[in-house]
Amino acid sequence: MELMSDQDRQRLVSAAGASSPTVVQVAVAAPVSDLFDYRPLAEQPLPEIGRRVLVPFGRGRRLGLVAAWQQDSRIAATRLKTILAYLDEGPVLQPETFELIRWAACYYQYPLGEAIFSALPVHLRRATTTTSKPRKGWRLNSTAKAADDSGLARAPRQRALLALIRAQPEGILETSLREQLGDCRSALQALQAKGLIASCLMPAAPATAIAATSVPATAAATTAALGGSPRPPVLNAEQRTAVEAIEHSAGFGCFLLDGVTGSGKTEVYIRLINRALERDRQVLVLVPEIGLTPQLAERFAHRISAVQAVLHSGLGEREREIAWHRAASGQARLVLGTRSAIFTPLPDLGLLIVDEEHDVSLKQQDGFRYSARDLAVRRAQLSRCPVLLGSATPSLETLSNASRGRYQHLRLRQRAGGAQAPRFLLADVRSQPLITGLSHALLTRMSAVIEAGNQVLLFLNRRGFAPVLTCHDCGWISVCQHCDARMTLHRNQGQLVCHHCGDRRALPIQCPYCESPDLRPLGQGTERVEDSLRQRFPGIPLARIDRDNTRRKGELERLLNAARDGDYPILLGTQMLAKGHHLPGVTLVGILDLDHGLYGSDFRATERMAQLLIQVAGRAGRAERPGTVLVQTRHPDHPLLIRLLRQGYGAFAAAALAERAEAGLPPFSFQVLLRADSRIEQLALDFLHNAGALVQTLEPGPVEIWGPAPASMERRAGRYRAQLLLQARQRAPLHALIGRLLPALRRQSNSHRLRWSIDIDPQESL
Ligand code: ADP
Ligand code: ZN
Ligand code: ZN
């Protein structure tokens, strides 16, 4: 770990003037944007930049982080308060990570102190450390040949466990294994019986500073510990081109790896990771979802001999802390994590990879609303290293950056290993009778596929039995009392459930309005389709995979493993089924209802629809068997849909980008969204009207003001919501305006009955 060198110190000092600095500027963990001046402790050297301190603040005391040194303060010397204590043994953030957070706080207009402390692991957000009793954990058996899981070919659960345990050499709590994989005690016992793992006691958490020296684990040493690895495939020409382009980039460079599902992107990652590790650099890999980490960790563990650390919200506080420190000390060479891992200190960072870069989960949707993908690019700049954004369906922003030459566009056009691309068919369902949402064309193909011993995957992004319950006599519909929305009928639970606020009501046996018993479900969700399929295909095992029946920990993993092993000829699910999972036996994918993606209220609706469709289609025909994707739609003439299915995602994206350019929408303009909500009707809208008026007085120049307007679903969970959109062709005038607007808004909005927030580069509107 690199502490500030004497030279740096000297530079800071001389920048501050002839005499040495006497004032410490602290970012305080409070919702304020300014730094605060403090006097250092008497008789002690100035605390290092990046060190935690305890300071008096208002009437109390707060945690803070040393942000800078100053020669003087604008505050009168008599009023300047003194720091109460220096915490830890040194800085907890290295200069580069600190700079990243500082940049992010400024860019996303979020209070610096809060940004810093939301980026730190939980124990560093507290002034003191709590101690707790040691708890049961597991680690690799030191005598075992750890990579030897050749005996586990038919035990995916044990393999997944082993990968997670291997990623935490200091041990992992049993509770966090269960957090990720569900009840896994029997699998743990099996692994223990095979001598692969041993139980251990995990000590309570100490608050430690990051180590002062880095400990690069040499590849040779760790390879020996892990045993041999399977022989890697020979890269095809496009993969080689990609690897070499990134390998040969000196310093910072941003690359888009644009390759269909199964084209060997992960293989490219693995090659690049190994090369970076050989040069003694650290690597950070970001994935959008926790669910994807065990799979990827396992695949990495097989092929990469470096010490891994996994960081995501499913881990216990203790493991996250250990992983964070191992990364910060340079001990962990490969860090795999979800979006917040972007803030992990990595002293030797030499490569960043963002997998599924188009995924909205990479953007934090509340509080500190940063985009981990965009920050990855900034971070690579700060570390002067390459960053690789990978996707089968790149976001239009990234594609536009590539076409402007800011990112280098690398393509993998073929599926690796000889697998064929799926074929798309459109089923026009306007005039056809549907049997609970299934067309005749789809049902016929399903029968054929099942008879041939293959698998069908049906995709319907709507859980529950039916999206609404109606009264046949008076027309009553099941609306939610707290939202401008309908309650979904969940027949298995015997309830009406609002998917927006979570409210539940017992299923009425008669109409609450006219007391008629003739209540009917309208439309279909996965439960209803399941019912109908079980009648039509009696005796054929079917797995429904949605949030309702995967609530139990480990259930999703179990169903997916069984699905992969071919146990279920019919798979039916929501977007949980769409991501990342290899289902080699699937030869037919049916998309039951695509239409609300075609005409959604958000201008990104078609982009999301296309990404989801291609991702779902990517599950099919991954092995030697080619797949067919049948799309049911009422809009078979939709030009973008046709282009997508006939010419592929690239052609779709080009056409969609042309539309955006025409309309002046992102990525051809920049946006900032001001959101507000309140329990009191009108309050949010009034606040935003004022905000709009305020913008006018600030001479907005080229910045356009749209709205304010109520959200498309105005009332949600009892709160009325509205938004005001600011948009400009250039980023600079927009951000400058926001910089002037925010202080004025903060002064105005002292009503605690109102909540409001600002979202820079919003990904979703209300
Ligand atoms: P993606 O990440 O793009 O979905 P993967 O890297 O997972 O693709 O590759 C898909 C499958 O093809 C994997 O089983 C992988 O081992 C295999 N594969 C990748 N590259 C090659 C290659 N050059 N030759 C043979 N098989 C390959
Ligand atoms: Zn009625
Ligand atoms: Zn509701």
Side-chain angles (χ1 to χ4, degrees):
M1 167 74 239
E2 211 172 66
L3 293 177
M4 184 177 277
S5 70
D6 287 345
Q7 254 175 353
D8 285 343
R9 248 176 247 247
Q10 215 55 55
R11 259 209 307 279
L12 258 179
V13 172
S14 48
S19 56
S20 50
T22 58
V23 175
V24 180
Q25 288 199 302
V26 176
V28 179
V32 287
S33 307
D34 303 321
L35 297 176
F36 290 83
D37 291 356
Y38 289 94
R39 232 196 298 268
L41 289 176
E43 314 282 308
Q44 290 218 29
L46 289 179
E48 301 90 333
I49 313 282
R51 185 157 180 183
R52 299 193 309 148
V53 290
L54 198 61
V55 293
F57 190 76
R59 293 211 191 112
R61 41 172 62 189
R62 290 283 175 113
L63 264 182
L65 197 93
V66 177
W69 298 342
Q70 291 274 307
Q71 203 186 336
D72 280 316
S73 176
R74 277 179 301 171
I75 300 186
T78 48
R79 289 183 47 221
L80 203 61
K81 293 178 182 160
T82 304
I83 294 177
L84 298 170
Y86 302 167
L87 302 176
D88 318 314
E89 278 115 53
V92 293
L93 282 181
Q94 54 174 135
E96 177 221 296
T97 321
F98 187 36
E99 184 50 38
L100 178 75
I101 298 173
R102 220 202 288 230
W103 186 87
C106 176
Y107 184 86
Y108 293 106
Q109 301 279 347
Y110 197 69
L112 176 61
E114 294 206 326
I116 290 170
F117 286 93
S118 68
L120 289 175
V122 178
H123 76 285
L124 290 175
R125 297 178 203 169
R126 291 187 292 252
T128 51
T129 47
T130 53
T131 46
S132 53
K133 273 192 282 177
R135 291 193 290 155
K136 185 175 181 187
W138 294 89
R139 56 177 173 69
L140 280 188
N141 197 344
S142 50
T143 55
K145 263 179 106 185
D148 184 21
D149 50 6
S150 48
L152 305 179
R154 291 287 296 174
R157 240 172 128 61
Q158 292 179 34
R159 278 206 318 268
L161 270 174
L162 200 58
L164 291 173
I165 294 168
R166 188 184 283 139
Q168 308 285 356
E170 257 130 294
I172 181 165
L173 283 174
E174 185 166 313
T175 49
S176 54
L177 289 171
R178 281 198 226 168
E179 186 73 35
Q180 294 173 76
L181 295 175
D183 189 2
C184 46
R185 272 170 297 187
S186 57
L188 281 168
Q189 275 157 16
L191 285 172
Q192 187 178 27
K194 290 173 187 155
L196 291 171
I197 59 169
S199 67
C200 59
L201 280 181
M202 305 275 293
T208 46
I210 42 186
T213 49
S214 77
V215 195
T218 62
T222 34
T223 314
L226 286 174
S229 30
R231 195 195 307 218
V234 178
L235 295 186
N236 63 36
E238 286 182 325
Q239 286 173 316
R240 267 202 316 277
T241 307
V243 168
E244 277 160 22
I246 297 156
E247 267 293 294
H248 293 148
S249 86
F252 170 70
C254 188
F255 300 85
L256 164 60
L257 187 61
D258 174 0
V260 297
T261 316
S263 61
K265 294 185 294 297
T266 312
E267 203 53 50
V268 170
Y269 302 161
I270 290 171
R271 256 6 117 86
L272 287 166
I273 292 168
N274 274 324
R275 303 247 182 119
L277 296 171
E278 281 161 19
R279 295 194 313 269
D280 264 344
R281 307 296 295 270
Q282 285 174 296
V283 180
L284 175 62
V285 179
L286 296 180
V287 290
E289 293 202 31
I290 302 180
L292 298 176
T293 51
Q295 284 180 43
L296 204 56
E298 189 195 345
R299 195 155 161 202
F300 284 171
H302 267 118
R303 300 280 308 284
I304 297 169
S305 49
V307 182
Q308 275 192 57
V310 177
L311 270 165
H312 58 68
S313 56
L315 288 178
E317 220 181 277
R318 172 74 177 134
E319 284 103 27
R320 256 201 290 184
E321 178 197 337
I322 291 177
W324 199 85
H325 284 299
R326 284 173 51 234
S329 68
Q331 221 185 333
R333 307 308 293 173
L334 172 59
V335 174
L336 171 62
T338 47
R339 69 179 173 248
S340 63
I342 186 63
F343 297 114
T344 317
L346 293 158
D348 306 321
L349 183 62
L351 173 67
L352 281 124
I353 295 172
V354 183
D355 193 24
E356 311 287 2
E357 67 84 31
H358 64 278
D359 198 303
V360 271
S361 312
L362 288 165
K363 172 104 197 247
Q364 170 103 0
Q365 297 292 359
D366 53 21
F368 186 15
R369 293 176 162 79
Y370 60 89
S371 154
R373 175 196 63 206
D374 296 348
L375 285 183
V377 175
R378 179 68 196 146
R379 182 155 194 188
Q381 242 167 3
L382 290 169
S383 298
R384 294 184 204 87
C385 73
V387 53
L388 178 59
L389 311 178
S391 176
T393 53
S395 64
L396 297 187
E397 277 92 351
T398 297
L399 283 171
S400 151
N401 276 320
S403 72
R404 285 174 211 199
R406 288 203 206 129
Y407 299 173
Q408 190 176 338
H409 198 158
L410 303 165
R411 290 183 178 85
L412 303 181
R413 290 182 180 82
Q414 253 113 57
R415 287 189 160 194
Q420 294 176 39
R423 190 164 56 106
F424 286 95
L425 297 173
L426 269 183
D428 180 354
V429 295
R430 278 175 301 189
S431 52
Q432 284 189 28
L434 292 179
I435 302 149
T436 47
L438 305 163
S439 62
H440 187 67
L442 181 55
L443 287 167
T444 316
R445 281 178 183 274
M446 281 182 69
S447 306
V449 166
I450 294 167
E451 246 161 63
N454 292 324
Q455 284 174 293
V456 183
L457 187 164
L458 297 178
F459 178 79
L460 176 63
N461 217 4
R462 207 183 296 126
R463 63 197 170 87
F465 188 81
V468 61
L469 185 68
T470 62
C471 169
H472 193 61
D473 286 328
C474 76
W476 169 86
I477 55 172
S478 55
V479 291
C480 175
Q481 291 175 327
H482 315 285
C483 309
D484 296 330
R486 291 154 174 196
M487 295 186 93
T488 302
L489 167 62
H490 283 252
R491 218 186 47 184
N492 295 355
Q493 299 160 28
Q495 285 181 322
L496 291 172
V497 181
C498 174
H499 286 184
H500 304 283
C501 70
D503 194 29
R504 289 163 182 275
R505 265 190 276 159
L507 208 55
I509 37 174
Q510 58 182 38
C511 172
Y513 190 73
C514 75
E515 302 189 347
S516 157
D518 193 0
L519 296 177
R520 300 186 185 182
L522 217 65
Q524 44 267 320
T526 47
E527 274 183 23
R528 194 175 197 177
V529 175
E530 176 185 2
D531 256 27
S532 148
L533 288 170
R534 287 199 192 279
Q535 280 171 30
R536 189 163 255 276
F537 299 99
I540 305 283
L542 175 154
R544 173 163 63 88
I545 300 184
D546 59 28
R547 198 133 51 83
D548 293 317
N549 62 352
T550 53
R551 272 184 216 285
R552 230 171 2 119
K553 295 253 164 70
E555 186 64 8
L556 176 62
E557 198 70 23
R558 190 187 70 75
L559 281 173
L560 286 172
N561 284 333
R564 188 163 40 217
D565 294 344
D567 295 354
Y568 298 103
I570 305 177
L571 304 167
L572 164 67
T574 56
Q575 59 180 330
M576 286 190 125
L577 258 183
K579 291 188 185 174
H581 307 281
H582 297 236
L583 298 168
V586 171
T587 58
L588 174 66
V589 173
I591 313 278
L592 300 197
D593 178 10
L594 193 70
D595 291 344
H596 64 246
L598 291 176
Y599 296 99
S601 61
D602 194 316
F603 73 90
R604 287 182 221 266
T606 33
E607 179 185 354
R608 305 262 186 265
M609 174 279 294
Q611 288 163 346
L612 196 57
L613 180 67
I614 299 295
Q615 298 284 341
V616 179
R619 306 305 116 222
R622 294 200 59 149
E624 305 67 41
R625 289 169 277 196
T628 301
V629 182
L630 191 136
V631 182
Q632 299 190 155
T633 177
R634 287 189 170 72
H635 303 283
D637 309 319
H638 191 285
L640 283 177
L641 179 61
I642 291 177
R643 198 178 286 260
L644 176 67
L645 300 190
R646 295 225 180 107
Q647 298 169 41
Y649 184 81
F652 159 84
L657 272 170
E659 278 189 2
R660 296 265 186 98
E662 181 95 352
L665 286 167
F668 301 94
S669 62
F670 300 92
Q671 295 187 333
V672 172
L673 194 61
L674 212 57
R675 296 191 181 89
D677 64 63
S678 172
R679 288 198 174 276
I680 299 159
E681 198 168 357
Q682 260 330 96
L683 201 62
L685 214 48
D686 287 349
F687 168 74
L688 292 178
H689 268 296
N690 286 340
L694 201 57
V695 171
Q696 295 290 6
T697 67
L698 293 172
E699 294 172 8
V703 178
E704 297 167 28
I705 308 168
W706 295 86
S712 58
M713 183 201 302
E714 182 174 15
R715 200 170 51 109
R716 179 174 177 159
R719 301 187 75 95
Y720 294 85
R721 310 173 310 145
Q723 58 195 10
L724 176 76
L725 181 69
L726 302 176
Q727 181 178 298
R729 291 277 175 167
Q730 257 79 42
R731 207 192 286 276
L734 178 61
H735 283 213
L737 178 76
I738 298 297
R740 285 179 289 149
L741 175 65
L742 278 184
L745 271 186
R746 290 197 180 109
R747 279 196 298 276
Q748 268 195 7
S749 62
N750 45 16
S751 163
H752 54 256
R753 289 177 303 181
L754 179 88
R755 283 195 312 216
W756 65 279
S757 64
I758 189 142
D759 192 348
I760 311 283
D761 306 331
Q763 288 292 310
E764 282 166 0
S765 57
L766 285 175

